[in-house]
Amino acid sequence: IQGPEICRTEYESECWTKQEVHDVEDDVVSCTTEVEEKCEDETSGYTTNTKCSKWPKEVCSVSKKAVKKYTPITGCTKEPRELCAPAGCGFKQGAEECFDKVQTVVQDAPKEQCTLEPQRTCKHVTKLVPKLSPTEECVDVPKEVCTRSRTNPRKVKKPVVKKWCYVPSEESGLA
């Protein structure tokens, strides 16, 4: 078919996806379980035994690690296509054709957006509790001793020191 050429503009959708790269510092937590031990001497009568108790303790540390994160950005644009054919020819829709195309895209510098997110961190806390135990207390009490003699009686001071000791107990009310 011959005749004057007729052209018309058709618009086709052209879609693309690009990956936006972000250099981010991530917090990396590493935890280990350690066993803590406390020993005490326990006296029973004349013998002393050492009694130990153990408990687990979680020890954690946080370190920073530089990582790259990617955000996919997809967009579509309507691209004009000029279709030309001789007069008298009709336009018929054909099969859809898809193909990959490498295209240089000029883009703005990436914008960083940050938010503060609270994090709850828990750990075992060991508190020392004082323990009172009774001890023996002694007091020196001077005592005057008098003796009688038949000849030339007189008072003679001979110092005698007596040691008084007591152990606080429930009965005495001192424990």
Side-chain angles (χ1 to χ4, degrees), residues 130-158:
K131 181 186 172 192
L132 299 174
S133 58
T135 56
E136 186 180 65
E137 279 190 36
C138 298
V139 179
D140 290 333
V141 180
K143 186 180 177 187
E144 190 178 56
V145 178
C146 301
T147 54
R148 285 187 186 199
S149 63
R150 291 178 188 215
T151 58
N152 197 9
R154 65 178 198 273
K155 244 187 195 182
V156 177
K157 282 196 178 185
K158 289 184 184 175

Side-chain angles (χ1 to χ4, degrees), residues 122-136:
C122 300
K123 62 180 180 179
H124 294 286
V125 177
T126 307
K127 286 188 180 175
L128 293 173
V129 179
K131 181 186 172 192
L132 299 174
S133 58
T135 56
E136 186 180 65

Side-chain angles (χ1 to χ4, degrees), residues 75-90:
C76 291
T77 53
K78 293 269 189 189
E79 292 293 324
R81 294 273 183 264
E82 195 172 6
L83 303 173
C84 297
C89 284

